[in-house]
Amino acid sequence: VAVTVHLWRAFTIRKIRFEGKSSLTREDLRRAIPLSEGDPFTPGPLAAGANAIARRLINEGYLHPAVDPEVEYDRAEYGIEIVYKIQAGERGLVDAPFFDGETSPFSSETLAHQGKIKVGKPYREAKARDSAERIRKYLLEQGYFKASVELIAAEPTETGRIRPVYRIDVGMLFQIQVSGIKLKHARREILALLAGQSFDEDLLELWAENHKLELQRGGHYRASVTAS
């Protein structure tokens, strides 16, 4: 029995280039595609990379982006060069945001102002996410320690604008009562404690108890710190 084995040498990606202008940096584009220089070449990831770039452009507010990948073969060296040709097209402008959830006692206009959402400016996903964090920080400062704000969509409108959609939960209002220390100081410490994490009532109660003990050790024997 004779067994014949055929071997084919795979082409290697020598270079990846991007042609066309957009708000995305070269590093943004490189991170978007599932290909790297030095990888063996297969056609599947090539198209996936074009789709990924198009999605990133849509997230940046471009209404109808087009991305066409081209492959140039060097058959003598078994190398290829990939060129993604990008036509970003028209960029949408920011429309008034939509808040998915009850915003009371705050108006949508107040939250948009606190988030520094600038209607009529070019839309960018990164700025829209920054606005969500600003709104959450504002709600925390008002005593709504369970507040959550998340950008969930960038919705094209009939007028060619982009409406940022935020899922919001204002939550309940927490009152801080202190004796022996300034309320402003206590609030600042609590906000620092909550920075970057979800609210935990046990964490707040532990802070209150530890702070009371710290004050009492300093001679403020009647000091009290409570949160409700």
Side-chain angles (χ1 to χ4, degrees):
V1 177
V3 177
T4 304
V5 178
H6 297 279
L7 299 176
W8 287 271
R9 183 177 176 181
F11 281 87
T12 301
I13 300 172
R14 303 295 188 196
K15 190 174 183 180
I16 299 174
R17 293 192 295 113
F18 304 94
E19 293 182 359
K21 294 182 178 180
S22 74
S23 62
L24 297 178
T25 66
R26 174 178 170 79
E27 190 60 32
D28 292 333
L29 296 169
R30 289 297 301 268
R31 284 197 298 264
I33 62 175
L35 296 168
S36 299
E37 292 169 355
D39 288 349
F41 173 70
T42 54
L46 182 69
N51 291 334
I53 292 173
R55 286 194 300 272
R56 286 286 284 112
L57 290 168
I58 290 171
N59 288 339
E60 287 294 300
Y62 294 96
L63 300 175
H64 305 290
V67 183
D68 297 314
E70 292 186 359
V71 178
E72 299 175 3
Y73 289 87
D74 180 352
R75 300 189 183 279
E77 298 293 334
Y78 282 88
I80 67 165
E81 180 175 326
I82 296 174
V83 182
Y84 283 101
K85 296 191 173 182
I86 300 169
Q87 293 180 316
E90 183 182 1
R91 195 171 189 180
L93 303 179
V94 177
D95 198 16
F98 175 77
F99 292 99
D100 180 16
E102 178 58 57
T103 64
S104 178
F106 306 97
S107 68
S108 296
E109 291 76 15
T110 296
L111 296 178
H113 175 73
Q114 294 298 329
K116 297 183 179 180
I117 299 172
K118 297 180 179 180
V119 175
K121 294 292 185 179
Y123 178 87
R124 292 194 66 179
E125 182 183 38
K127 288 186 176 181
R129 293 192 184 281
D130 287 344
S131 293
E133 185 55 33
R134 288 192 192 98
I135 295 170
R136 177 179 177 271
K137 183 178 179 181
Y138 168 73
L139 294 173
L140 291 177
E141 290 171 348
Q142 307 311 305
Y144 293 86
F145 296 145
K146 285 190 174 183
S148 63
V149 186
E150 178 188 5
L151 177 71
I152 59 173
E155 196 173 75
T157 69
E158 294 180 356
T159 59
R161 294 196 170 195
I162 302 293
R163 177 185 293 114
V165 179
Y166 295 96
R167 180 181 293 122
I168 186 168
D169 183 5
V170 174
M172 64 183 293
L173 175 63
F174 285 79
Q175 299 288 347
I176 303 172
Q177 298 177 346
V178 296
S179 174
I181 60 173
K182 292 182 178 180
L183 176 60
K184 183 178 180 179
H185 178 73
R187 184 181 292 274
R188 185 167 59 245
E189 286 193 359
I190 292 171
L191 291 175
L193 187 68
L194 296 175
Q197 59 181 314
S198 300
F199 177 80
D200 186 334
E201 292 185 38
D202 292 338
L203 189 65
L204 185 59
E205 290 176 3
L206 179 62
W207 171 87
E209 181 63 24
N210 288 342
H211 208 76
K212 183 181 74 174
L213 293 175
E214 181 181 337
L215 289 168
Q216 291 174 345
R217 284 194 295 267
H220 301 281
Y221 302 112
R222 294 188 178 184
S224 66
V225 184
T226 62
S228 61

